[in-house]
Amino acid sequence: MSVRAKLPRWAELGLLPAINLIAALLLSGAIIKLIGESPWAALKLMADGAFGSQESIGYTFYYATNFIFTGLAVAVAYHAGLFNIGAEGQAYIGGLGTGLVCLWLGAWPFWAVLPLAILAGALFGAAWAFIPAWLQARRGSHIVITTIMFNFIASALMTWLLVNVLIRPGQQSPESREFAPNAFMPGLHTLLGKIGIPFTSTPLNLAFLLALAAAALVWVLLWRTHWGYALRVAGQNPAAAVYAGILPPRVTLWAMLLSGALAGSLGLNELMGSQHRILLDFPGGAGFVGIAVALMGRNHPVGIFLAAVLFGALVQGGSQLSFDMPHVNRDMVVVIQGLVILFCGALENVFRVPLTRILTRKELGR
Amino acid sequence: METYTLIILLLAATIRVATPLLLAALAGMFSERSGVIALGLEGMMLGAAFASAAVAAVSGSAWLGLGAGIATGMALALLLAFACVTHRGNQVVAGMALNIMVAGLGPALALAWFDLGGQTPQLEGHGQRFLAITWPWAAAADKVPFPGRLYSQLLSGHNLIVYLAAVLVPLSAWVLYRTRFGLRLRAVGENPSAVDTAGISVTRLRYQAVMISGVLCGVAGTYLSTAASAGFVRDMTAGKGYLALAALIFGKWKPYPTLGACLLFAFTDALATRLQGVDLPLVGVIPVQFILALPYVLTVLLLAGFVGTAVPPSAIGVPYAKEK
């Protein structure tokens, strides 16, 4: 490795992600222009669609909740030096755990269902992450490839379960019966209503607060415990970690378990909060958006929250956009997500290197 | 007799399913053998599928479609190489970014240009698609069950790209093991600094390798949208790029074993289609999903070292930094 000057903290956390985001948005604008619509009008429509009313804000944060969970999942693995592409599958299987609890124990009161649903989601998600983690730690199988394979295996397994086992009798579409109302996550508008703040009814629900709690928990675990310190050391320099008495294979296992548990919590928002049943492909790519969110948020819980809100706004604003511009559909949002991953992840050195040169030269001159 | 016909149909279906897998897996082989992870196969294929179907629909020529598919594959490969080789970006991230971007871009452009809800117009048979080629005397051979029908129904009656893919296996093997370029390509994936020391440009070799993978993915994508089906639809690669990557690993990054892996995976796919809802003696109905998941399970088992071993090129995924 060549010796490389480091960016100042404010540039690393603020300026560089902003430049990358602007580059991605500029290119997206060029594509919208190519399609024959005005990028500026599209941006205004999206911003209005995402934040223009209480309803749109509710939807934006509802989508963001999924992305906080998956973004945290990717970030935890990243800090341990692992690339978890399997958040999608872990979210799928985790949601199965949450869904099963809701189906079986729906007659129980909500305060009893909730902890069990959280636990089941985390356990199922962690279990699905455990196998690739164990294979990486003990047999050296590349975790990127195994987690990709596990996404497909999860998808096949869930299709089979939904088509053959969980399907509501006498129904064609492969989805389970609806949960009992006891197992519904209370909407945030009801909670706000109880403390006297009126808010429009949206799918935004208690799971949003759970996601924030998860973000806080990740922060404490990673930056305020020995366990988190060991995890980050093993991620940055496994050789040094060994000399410090840290066992990297064990860190791999624990990091992936936490990562899978976080991804597995997506069902709390998506299933308990909104769909109220288990259905095909409910993660809907949130596991992959999690990669973009983690990259954009610099793998820090605060950054992940901000990036998740940004991506939630993109999804919500994008659906508004597809209503108002007949030639732009929701796929445009996927393009923007891809471009953000490209610029914040794969092409980050394009701006990092010149920026470092400019900023450090200034300091040296002083 | 009945079983015989069934087996021929099953094998013919295997060949059709295996073709795009094989093209993509060979694409991945060139890329990974040079040390660049081939996670972008899915995106390059999907991009090419869109471009070839769009151009074939507008121009009325499947050949122009193929050209557009290859050009798109190469353009996306260039982007990958720019990110991974020139700027030493994370190769996994670059591949995922490409896949996600193209998954959105294809339907977005299709909607804007053709207004068919994210698809391209239905391609007509004459000239816009690569259609089945009937070999000489196939009709006569068909009257003789064995071996005539093997000739008429298994070997004859596929489109041009299928035969092209078959030829590309020995060709790739030859390039990889019998040419100077192939030797250097393999060396750069194992020990780039040695190649650099010998005065050969690592950057140039890796660009070439990734571009070759773009060309092959271009052909694979064209196969999907203008030969196997009549137009581009959303997500039409359906994970074939990742399955090809699995086949490449299963084939231990070597041409002929990779061909074997592609045929095996394609066979499970063809079998799953055949066995859908069929009540077999002794075992009953085998869930299709289990058969479809088999390639992924097998690959995981292989990677875990339970079914042989898979040793990747040693410099894979590591951007090369020339020492100053």
Side-chain angles (χ1 to χ4, degrees), chain A residues 112-136:
Chain A
V113 176
L114 181 64
L116 287 173
I118 294 175
L119 202 65
L123 271 179
F124 273 56
W128 202 249
F130 175 76
I131 309 167
W134 185 83
L135 291 174
Q136 168 80 62

mmCIF file with all atom_site columns, all heavy atoms in Angstrom, chain A residues 112-136:
data_model
loop_
_atom_site.group_PDB
_atom_site.id
_atom_site.type_symbol
_atom_site.label_atom_id
_atom_site.label_alt_id
_atom_site.label_comp_id
_atom_site.label_asym_id
_atom_site.label_entity_id
_atom_site.label_seq_id
_atom_site.pdbx_PDB_ins_code
_atom_site.Cartn_x
_atom_site.Cartn_y
_atom_site.Cartn_z
_atom_site.occupancy
_atom_site.B_iso_or_equiv
_atom_site.pdbx_formal_charge
_atom_site.auth_seq_id
_atom_site.auth_comp_id
_atom_site.auth_asym_id
_atom_site.auth_atom_id
_atom_site.pdbx_PDB_model_num
ATOM 1   N N   . ALA A 1 112 ? -47.119 -8.716  24.330 1.00 0.00 ? 112 ALA A N   1
ATOM 2   C CA  . ALA A 1 112 ? -46.489 -10.038 24.416 1.00 0.00 ? 112 ALA A CA  1
ATOM 3   C C   . ALA A 1 112 ? -45.984 -10.495 23.048 1.00 0.00 ? 112 ALA A C   1
ATOM 4   O O   . ALA A 1 112 ? -44.959 -11.157 22.936 1.00 0.00 ? 112 ALA A O   1
ATOM 5   C CB  . ALA A 1 112 ? -47.477 -11.058 24.971 1.00 0.00 ? 112 ALA A CB  1
ATOM 6   N N   . VAL A 1 113 ? -46.740 -10.110 21.988 1.00 0.00 ? 113 VAL A N   1
ATOM 7   C CA  . VAL A 1 113 ? -46.339 -10.526 20.638 1.00 0.00 ? 113 VAL A CA  1
ATOM 8   C C   . VAL A 1 113 ? -45.075 -9.789  20.214 1.00 0.00 ? 113 VAL A C   1
ATOM 9   O O   . VAL A 1 113 ? -44.160 -10.387 19.648 1.00 0.00 ? 113 VAL A O   1
ATOM 10  C CB  . VAL A 1 113 ? -47.476 -10.255 19.629 1.00 0.00 ? 113 VAL A CB  1
ATOM 11  C CG1 . VAL A 1 113 ? -47.025 -10.603 18.216 1.00 0.00 ? 113 VAL A CG1 1
ATOM 12  C CG2 . VAL A 1 113 ? -48.722 -11.048 19.988 1.00 0.00 ? 113 VAL A CG2 1
ATOM 13  N N   . LEU A 1 114 ? -45.024 -8.483  20.516 1.00 0.00 ? 114 LEU A N   1
ATOM 14  C CA  . LEU A 1 114 ? -43.947 -7.648  19.995 1.00 0.00 ? 114 LEU A CA  1
ATOM 15  C C   . LEU A 1 114 ? -42.539 -8.175  20.320 1.00 0.00 ? 114 LEU A C   1
ATOM 16  O O   . LEU A 1 114 ? -41.742 -8.388  19.405 1.00 0.00 ? 114 LEU A O   1
ATOM 17  C CB  . LEU A 1 114 ? -44.109 -6.195  20.474 1.00 0.00 ? 114 LEU A CB  1
ATOM 18  C CG  . LEU A 1 114 ? -43.033 -5.248  19.944 1.00 0.00 ? 114 LEU A CG  1
ATOM 19  C CD1 . LEU A 1 114 ? -43.107 -5.122  18.429 1.00 0.00 ? 114 LEU A CD1 1
ATOM 20  C CD2 . LEU A 1 114 ? -43.138 -3.873  20.587 1.00 0.00 ? 114 LEU A CD2 1
ATOM 21  N N   . PRO A 1 115 ? -42.219 -8.420  21.617 1.00 0.00 ? 115 PRO A N   1
ATOM 22  C CA  . PRO A 1 115 ? -40.853 -8.891  21.890 1.00 0.00 ? 115 PRO A CA  1
ATOM 23  C C   . PRO A 1 115 ? -40.548 -10.220 21.212 1.00 0.00 ? 115 PRO A C   1
ATOM 24  O O   . PRO A 1 115 ? -39.438 -10.417 20.710 1.00 0.00 ? 115 PRO A O   1
ATOM 25  C CB  . PRO A 1 115 ? -40.815 -9.038  23.414 1.00 0.00 ? 115 PRO A CB  1
ATOM 26  C CG  . PRO A 1 115 ? -42.196 -8.880  23.897 1.00 0.00 ? 115 PRO A CG  1
ATOM 27  C CD  . PRO A 1 115 ? -42.985 -8.199  22.842 1.00 0.00 ? 115 PRO A CD  1
ATOM 28  N N   . LEU A 1 116 ? -41.548 -11.098 21.152 1.00 0.00 ? 116 LEU A N   1
ATOM 29  C CA  . LEU A 1 116 ? -41.324 -12.382 20.496 1.00 0.00 ? 116 LEU A CA  1
ATOM 30  C C   . LEU A 1 116 ? -41.102 -12.208 18.996 1.00 0.00 ? 116 LEU A C   1
ATOM 31  O O   . LEU A 1 116 ? -40.264 -12.881 18.392 1.00 0.00 ? 116 LEU A O   1
ATOM 32  C CB  . LEU A 1 116 ? -42.510 -13.318 20.750 1.00 0.00 ? 116 LEU A CB  1
ATOM 33  C CG  . LEU A 1 116 ? -42.600 -13.868 22.173 1.00 0.00 ? 116 LEU A CG  1
ATOM 34  C CD1 . LEU A 1 116 ? -43.888 -14.645 22.369 1.00 0.00 ? 116 LEU A CD1 1
ATOM 35  C CD2 . LEU A 1 116 ? -41.392 -14.754 22.463 1.00 0.00 ? 116 LEU A CD2 1
ATOM 36  N N   . ALA A 1 117 ? -41.859 -11.278 18.396 1.00 0.00 ? 117 ALA A N   1
ATOM 37  C CA  . ALA A 1 117 ? -41.715 -11.028 16.960 1.00 0.00 ? 117 ALA A CA  1
ATOM 38  C C   . ALA A 1 117 ? -40.339 -10.440 16.657 1.00 0.00 ? 117 ALA A C   1
ATOM 39  O O   . ALA A 1 117 ? -39.693 -10.814 15.683 1.00 0.00 ? 117 ALA A O   1
ATOM 40  C CB  . ALA A 1 117 ? -42.815 -10.086 16.475 1.00 0.00 ? 117 ALA A CB  1
ATOM 41  N N   . ILE A 1 118 ? -39.893 -9.516  17.515 1.00 0.00 ? 118 ILE A N   1
ATOM 42  C CA  . ILE A 1 118 ? -38.561 -8.930  17.339 1.00 0.00 ? 118 ILE A CA  1
ATOM 43  C C   . ILE A 1 118 ? -37.507 -10.029 17.444 1.00 0.00 ? 118 ILE A C   1
ATOM 44  O O   . ILE A 1 118 ? -36.613 -10.158 16.598 1.00 0.00 ? 118 ILE A O   1
ATOM 45  C CB  . ILE A 1 118 ? -38.295 -7.844  18.405 1.00 0.00 ? 118 ILE A CB  1
ATOM 46  C CG1 . ILE A 1 118 ? -39.236 -6.659  18.196 1.00 0.00 ? 118 ILE A CG1 1
ATOM 47  C CG2 . ILE A 1 118 ? -36.852 -7.378  18.351 1.00 0.00 ? 118 ILE A CG2 1
ATOM 48  C CD1 . ILE A 1 118 ? -39.128 -5.590  19.275 1.00 0.00 ? 118 ILE A CD1 1
ATOM 49  N N   . LEU A 1 119 ? -37.655 -10.857 18.486 1.00 0.00 ? 119 LEU A N   1
ATOM 50  C CA  . LEU A 1 119 ? -36.694 -11.922 18.733 1.00 0.00 ? 119 LEU A CA  1
ATOM 51  C C   . LEU A 1 119 ? -36.667 -12.912 17.571 1.00 0.00 ? 119 LEU A C   1
ATOM 52  O O   . LEU A 1 119 ? -35.594 -13.301 17.093 1.00 0.00 ? 119 LEU A O   1
ATOM 53  C CB  . LEU A 1 119 ? -37.084 -12.643 20.026 1.00 0.00 ? 119 LEU A CB  1
ATOM 54  C CG  . LEU A 1 119 ? -35.966 -13.398 20.718 1.00 0.00 ? 119 LEU A CG  1
ATOM 55  C CD1 . LEU A 1 119 ? -34.907 -12.420 21.204 1.00 0.00 ? 119 LEU A CD1 1
ATOM 56  C CD2 . LEU A 1 119 ? -36.525 -14.209 21.883 1.00 0.00 ? 119 LEU A CD2 1
ATOM 57  N N   . ALA A 1 120 ? -37.851 -13.299 17.107 1.00 0.00 ? 120 ALA A N   1
ATOM 58  C CA  . ALA A 1 120 ? -37.919 -14.291 16.027 1.00 0.00 ? 120 ALA A CA  1
ATOM 59  C C   . ALA A 1 120 ? -37.306 -13.740 14.750 1.00 0.00 ? 120 ALA A C   1
ATOM 60  O O   . ALA A 1 120 ? -36.556 -14.434 14.054 1.00 0.00 ? 120 ALA A O   1
ATOM 61  C CB  . ALA A 1 120 ? -39.365 -14.701 15.786 1.00 0.00 ? 120 ALA A CB  1
ATOM 62  N N   . GLY A 1 121 ? -37.604 -12.468 14.423 1.00 0.00 ? 121 GLY A N   1
ATOM 63  C CA  . GLY A 1 121 ? -37.037 -11.857 13.228 1.00 0.00 ? 121 GLY A CA  1
ATOM 64  C C   . GLY A 1 121 ? -35.526 -11.844 13.299 1.00 0.00 ? 121 GLY A C   1
ATOM 65  O O   . GLY A 1 121 ? -34.825 -12.238 12.355 1.00 0.00 ? 121 GLY A O   1
ATOM 66  N N   . ALA A 1 122 ? -35.015 -11.414 14.458 1.00 0.00 ? 122 ALA A N   1
ATOM 67  C CA  . ALA A 1 122 ? -33.559 -11.327 14.627 1.00 0.00 ? 122 ALA A CA  1
ATOM 68  C C   . ALA A 1 122 ? -32.932 -12.717 14.566 1.00 0.00 ? 122 ALA A C   1
ATOM 69  O O   . ALA A 1 122 ? -31.902 -12.915 13.916 1.00 0.00 ? 122 ALA A O   1
ATOM 70  C CB  . ALA A 1 122 ? -33.232 -10.655 15.959 1.00 0.00 ? 122 ALA A CB  1
ATOM 71  N N   . LEU A 1 123 ? -33.567 -13.690 15.214 1.00 0.00 ? 123 LEU A N   1
ATOM 72  C CA  . LEU A 1 123 ? -33.016 -15.052 15.244 1.00 0.00 ? 123 LEU A CA  1
ATOM 73  C C   . LEU A 1 123 ? -32.994 -15.668 13.850 1.00 0.00 ? 123 LEU A C   1
ATOM 74  O O   . LEU A 1 123 ? -31.984 -16.234 13.427 1.00 0.00 ? 123 LEU A O   1
ATOM 75  C CB  . LEU A 1 123 ? -33.859 -15.937 16.170 1.00 0.00 ? 123 LEU A CB  1
ATOM 76  C CG  . LEU A 1 123 ? -33.443 -15.965 17.633 1.00 0.00 ? 123 LEU A CG  1
ATOM 77  C CD1 . LEU A 1 123 ? -34.380 -16.860 18.429 1.00 0.00 ? 123 LEU A CD1 1
ATOM 78  C CD2 . LEU A 1 123 ? -32.009 -16.454 17.759 1.00 0.00 ? 123 LEU A CD2 1
ATOM 79  N N   . PHE A 1 124 ? -34.101 -15.550 13.136 1.00 0.00 ? 124 PHE A N   1
ATOM 80  C CA  . PHE A 1 124 ? -34.167 -16.142 11.790 1.00 0.00 ? 124 PHE A CA  1
ATOM 81  C C   . PHE A 1 124 ? -33.150 -15.469 10.871 1.00 0.00 ? 124 PHE A C   1
ATOM 82  O O   . PHE A 1 124 ? -32.454 -16.136 10.117 1.00 0.00 ? 124 PHE A O   1
ATOM 83  C CB  . PHE A 1 124 ? -35.587 -16.006 11.212 1.00 0.00 ? 124 PHE A CB  1
ATOM 84  C CG  . PHE A 1 124 ? -36.506 -17.127 11.602 1.00 0.00 ? 124 PHE A CG  1
ATOM 85  C CD1 . PHE A 1 124 ? -36.728 -17.432 12.929 1.00 0.00 ? 124 PHE A CD1 1
ATOM 86  C CD2 . PHE A 1 124 ? -37.155 -17.877 10.633 1.00 0.00 ? 124 PHE A CD2 1
ATOM 87  C CE1 . PHE A 1 124 ? -37.587 -18.468 13.295 1.00 0.00 ? 124 PHE A CE1 1
ATOM 88  C CE2 . PHE A 1 124 ? -38.017 -18.918 10.977 1.00 0.00 ? 124 PHE A CE2 1
ATOM 89  C CZ  . PHE A 1 124 ? -38.230 -19.211 12.309 1.00 0.00 ? 124 PHE A CZ  1
ATOM 90  N N   . GLY A 1 125 ? -33.099 -14.144 10.938 1.00 0.00 ? 125 GLY A N   1
ATOM 91  C CA  . GLY A 1 125 ? -32.145 -13.413 10.084 1.00 0.00 ? 125 GLY A CA  1
ATOM 92  C C   . GLY A 1 125 ? -30.716 -13.803 10.421 1.00 0.00 ? 125 GLY A C   1
ATOM 93  O O   . GLY A 1 125 ? -29.890 -14.043 9.541  1.00 0.00 ? 125 GLY A O   1
ATOM 94  N N   . ALA A 1 126 ? -30.423 -13.880 11.737 1.00 0.00 ? 126 ALA A N   1
ATOM 95  C CA  . ALA A 1 126 ? -29.077 -14.237 12.171 1.00 0.00 ? 126 ALA A CA  1
ATOM 96  C C   . ALA A 1 126 ? -28.735 -15.655 11.747 1.00 0.00 ? 126 ALA A C   1
ATOM 97  O O   . ALA A 1 126 ? -27.624 -15.938 11.312 1.00 0.00 ? 126 ALA A O   1
ATOM 98  C CB  . ALA A 1 126 ? -28.960 -14.092 13.688 1.00 0.00 ? 126 ALA A CB  1
ATOM 99  N N   . ALA A 1 127 ? -29.721 -16.543 11.832 1.00 0.00 ? 127 ALA A N   1
ATOM 100 C CA  . ALA A 1 127 ? -29.471 -17.932 11.452 1.00 0.00 ? 127 ALA A CA  1
ATOM 101 C C   . ALA A 1 127 ? -29.118 -18.023 9.974  1.00 0.00 ? 127 ALA A C   1
ATOM 102 O O   . ALA A 1 127 ? -28.229 -18.784 9.580  1.00 0.00 ? 127 ALA A O   1
ATOM 103 C CB  . ALA A 1 127 ? -30.699 -18.790 11.754 1.00 0.00 ? 127 ALA A CB  1
ATOM 104 N N   . TRP A 1 128 ? -29.809 -17.222 9.162  1.00 0.00 ? 128 TRP A N   1
ATOM 105 C CA  . TRP A 1 128 ? -29.543 -17.270 7.729  1.00 0.00 ? 128 TRP A CA  1
ATOM 106 C C   . TRP A 1 128 ? -28.161 -16.692 7.410  1.00 0.00 ? 128 TRP A C   1
ATOM 107 O O   . TRP A 1 128 ? -27.537 -17.064 6.424  1.00 0.00 ? 128 TRP A O   1
ATOM 108 C CB  . TRP A 1 128 ? -30.631 -16.532 6.949  1.00 0.00 ? 128 TRP A CB  1
ATOM 109 C CG  . TRP A 1 128 ? -30.704 -16.985 5.531  1.00 0.00 ? 128 TRP A CG  1
ATOM 110 C CD1 . TRP A 1 128 ? -30.353 -16.269 4.423  1.00 0.00 ? 128 TRP A CD1 1
ATOM 111 C CD2 . TRP A 1 128 ? -31.150 -18.265 5.059  1.00 0.00 ? 128 TRP A CD2 1
ATOM 112 N NE1 . TRP A 1 128 ? -30.548 -17.028 3.295  1.00 0.00 ? 128 TRP A NE1 1
ATOM 113 C CE2 . TRP A 1 128 ? -31.026 -18.257 3.657  1.00 0.00 ? 128 TRP A CE2 1
ATOM 114 C CE3 . TRP A 1 128 ? -31.617 -19.419 5.686  1.00 0.00 ? 128 TRP A CE3 1
ATOM 115 C CZ2 . TRP A 1 128 ? -31.371 -19.357 2.868  1.00 0.00 ? 128 TRP A CZ2 1
ATOM 116 C CZ3 . TRP A 1 128 ? -31.952 -20.514 4.906  1.00 0.00 ? 128 TRP A CZ3 1
ATOM 117 C CH2 . TRP A 1 128 ? -31.834 -20.476 3.520  1.00 0.00 ? 128 TRP A CH2 1
ATOM 118 N N   . ALA A 1 129 ? -27.705 -15.755 8.249  1.00 0.00 ? 129 ALA A N   1
ATOM 119 C CA  . ALA A 1 129 ? -26.369 -15.184 8.044  1.00 0.00 ? 129 ALA A CA  1
ATOM 120 C C   . ALA A 1 129 ? -25.299 -16.085 8.631  1.00 0.00 ? 129 ALA A C   1
ATOM 121 O O   . ALA A 1 129 ? -24.136 -16.025 8.249  1.00 0.00 ? 129 ALA A O   1
ATOM 122 C CB  . ALA A 1 129 ? -26.285 -13.805 8.690  1.00 0.00 ? 129 ALA A CB  1
ATOM 123 N N   . PHE A 1 130 ? -25.699 -16.953 9.573  1.00 0.00 ? 130 PHE A N   1
ATOM 124 C CA  . PHE A 1 130 ? -24.715 -17.758 10.291 1.00 0.00 ? 130 PHE A CA  1
ATOM 125 C C   . PHE A 1 130 ? -23.989 -18.726 9.369  1.00 0.00 ? 130 PHE A C   1
ATOM 126 O O   . PHE A 1 130 ? -22.771 -18.895 9.475  1.00 0.00 ? 130 PHE A O   1
ATOM 127 C CB  . PHE A 1 130 ? -25.400 -18.534 11.427 1.00 0.00 ? 130 PHE A CB  1
ATOM 128 C CG  . PHE A 1 130 ? -24.470 -19.469 12.145 1.00 0.00 ? 130 PHE A CG  1
ATOM 129 C CD1 . PHE A 1 130 ? -23.539 -18.969 13.044 1.00 0.00 ? 130 PHE A CD1 1
ATOM 130 C CD2 . PHE A 1 130 ? -24.495 -20.834 11.904 1.00 0.00 ? 130 PHE A CD2 1
ATOM 131 C CE1 . PHE A 1 130 ? -22.660 -19.817 13.697 1.00 0.00 ? 130 PHE A CE1 1
ATOM 132 C CE2 . PHE A 1 130 ? -23.617 -21.678 12.552 1.00 0.00 ? 130 PHE A CE2 1
ATOM 133 C CZ  . PHE A 1 130 ? -22.700 -21.171 13.446 1.00 0.00 ? 130 PHE A CZ  1
ATOM 134 N N   . ILE A 1 131 ? -24.744 -19.334 8.430  1.00 0.00 ? 131 ILE A N   1
ATOM 135 C CA  . ILE A 1 131 ? -24.119 -20.371 7.601  1.00 0.00 ? 131 ILE A CA  1
ATOM 136 C C   . ILE A 1 131 ? -22.995 -19.776 6.730  1.00 0.00 ? 131 ILE A C   1
ATOM 137 O O   . ILE A 1 131 ? -21.867 -20.251 6.784  1.00 0.00 ? 131 ILE A O   1
ATOM 138 C CB  . ILE A 1 131 ? -25.173 -21.115 6.750  1.00 0.00 ? 131 ILE A CB  1
ATOM 139 C CG1 . ILE A 1 131 ? -26.319 -21.576 7.671  1.00 0.00 ? 131 ILE A CG1 1
ATOM 140 C CG2 . ILE A 1 131 ? -24.553 -22.302 6.039  1.00 0.00 ? 131 ILE A CG2 1
ATOM 141 C CD1 . ILE A 1 131 ? -27.552 -22.045 6.936  1.00 0.00 ? 131 ILE A CD1 1
ATOM 142 N N   . PRO A 1 132 ? -23.261 -18.696 5.951  1.00 0.00 ? 132 PRO A N   1
ATOM 143 C CA  . PRO A 1 132 ? -22.154 -18.090 5.215  1.00 0.00 ? 132 PRO A CA  1
ATOM 144 C C   . PRO A 1 132 ? -21.035 -17.617 6.146  1.00 0.00 ? 132 PRO A C   1
ATOM 145 O O   . PRO A 1 132 ? -19.849 -17.732 5.802  1.00 0.00 ? 132 PRO A O   1
ATOM 146 C CB  . PRO A 1 132 ? -22.793 -16.890 4.509  1.00 0.00 ? 132 PRO A CB  1
ATOM 147 C CG  . PRO A 1 132 ? -24.227 -17.199 4.441  1.00 0.00 ? 132 PRO A CG  1
ATOM 148 C CD  . PRO A 1 132 ? -24.545 -18.028 5.638  1.00 0.00 ? 132 PRO A CD  1
ATOM 149 N N   . ALA A 1 133 ? -21.408 -17.103 7.325  1.00 0.00 ? 133 ALA A N   1
ATOM 150 C CA  . ALA A 1 133 ? -20.393 -16.621 8.264  1.00 0.00 ? 133 ALA A CA  1
ATOM 151 C C   . ALA A 1 133 ? -19.514 -17.766 8.736  1.00 0.00 ? 133 ALA A C   1
ATOM 152 O O   . ALA A 1 133 ? -18.290 -17.660 8.766  1.00 0.00 ? 133 ALA A O   1
ATOM 153 C CB  . ALA A 1 133 ? -21.076 -15.962 9.461  1.00 0.00 ? 133 ALA A CB  1
ATOM 154 N N   . TRP A 1 134 ? -20.145 -18.874 9.077  1.00 0.00 ? 134 TRP A N   1
ATOM 155 C CA  . TRP A 1 134 ? -19.389 -20.027 9.552  1.00 0.00 ? 134 TRP A CA  1
ATOM 156 C C   . TRP A 1 134 ? -18.484 -20.551 8.443  1.00 0.00 ? 134 TRP A C   1
ATOM 157 O O   . TRP A 1 134 ? -17.324 -20.880 8.666  1.00 0.00 ? 134 TRP A O   1
ATOM 158 C CB  . TRP A 1 134 ? -20.359 -21.125 10.014 1.00 0.00 ? 134 TRP A CB  1
ATOM 159 C CG  . TRP A 1 134 ? -19.657 -22.291 10.622 1.00 0.00 ? 134 TRP A CG  1
ATOM 160 C CD1 . TRP A 1 134 ? -19.226 -22.411 11.911 1.00 0.00 ? 134 TRP A CD1 1
ATOM 161 C CD2 . TRP A 1 134 ? -19.275 -23.505 9.961  1.00 0.00 ? 134 TRP A CD2 1
ATOM 162 N NE1 . TRP A 1 134 ? -18.602 -23.608 12.086 1.00 0.00 ? 134 TRP A NE1 1
ATOM 163 C CE2 . TRP A 1 134 ? -18.618 -24.307 10.903 1.00 0.00 ? 134 TRP A CE2 1
ATOM 164 C CE3 . TRP A 1 134 ? -19.423 -23.985 8.650  1.00 0.00 ? 134 TRP A CE3 1
ATOM 165 C CZ2 . TRP A 1 134 ? -18.110 -25.569 10.604 1.00 0.00 ? 134 TRP A CZ2 1
ATOM 166 C CZ3 . TRP A 1 134 ? -18.917 -25.240 8.340  1.00 0.00 ? 134 TRP A CZ3 1
ATOM 167 C CH2 . TRP A 1 134 ? -18.277 -26.022 9.313  1.00 0.00 ? 134 TRP A CH2 1
ATOM 168 N N   . LEU A 1 135 ? -19.028 -20.595 7.220  1.00 0.00 ? 135 LEU A N   1
ATOM 169 C CA  . LEU A 1 135 ? -18.233 -21.091 6.095  1.00 0.00 ? 135 LEU A CA  1
ATOM 170 C C   . LEU A 1 135 ? -17.033 -20.178 5.836  1.00 0.00 ? 135 LEU A C   1
ATOM 171 O O   . LEU A 1 135 ? -15.953 -20.641 5.501  1.00 0.00 ? 135 LEU A O   1
ATOM 172 C CB  . LEU A 1 135 ? -19.098 -21.192 4.838  1.00 0.00 ? 135 LEU A CB  1
ATOM 173 C CG  . LEU A 1 135 ? -20.163 -22.280 4.869  1.00 0.00 ? 135 LEU A CG  1
ATOM 174 C CD1 . LEU A 1 135 ? -21.052 -22.199 3.651  1.00 0.00 ? 135 LEU A CD1 1
ATOM 175 C CD2 . LEU A 1 135 ? -19.511 -23.654 4.956  1.00 0.00 ? 135 LEU A CD2 1
ATOM 176 N N   . GLN A 1 136 ? -17.239 -18.863 6.021  1.00 0.00 ? 136 GLN A N   1
ATOM 177 C CA  . GLN A 1 136 ? -16.128 -17.919 5.841  1.00 0.00 ? 136 GLN A CA  1
ATOM 178 C C   . GLN A 1 136 ? -15.097 -18.101 6.961  1.00 0.00 ? 136 GLN A C   1
ATOM 179 O O   . GLN A 1 136 ? -13.895 -18.173 6.724  1.00 0.00 ? 136 GLN A O   1
ATOM 180 C CB  . GLN A 1 136 ? -16.652 -16.489 5.845  1.00 0.00 ? 136 GLN A CB  1
ATOM 181 C CG  . GLN A 1 136 ? -15.581 -15.403 5.951  1.00 0.00 ? 136 GLN A CG  1
ATOM 182 C CD  . GLN A 1 136 ? -14.913 -15.116 4.620  1.00 0.00 ? 136 GLN A CD  1
ATOM 183 O OE1 . GLN A 1 136 ? -15.558 -14.691 3.664  1.00 0.00 ? 136 GLN A OE1 1
ATOM 184 N NE2 . GLN A 1 136 ? -13.628 -15.380 4.524  1.00 0.00 ? 136 GLN A NE2 1
#
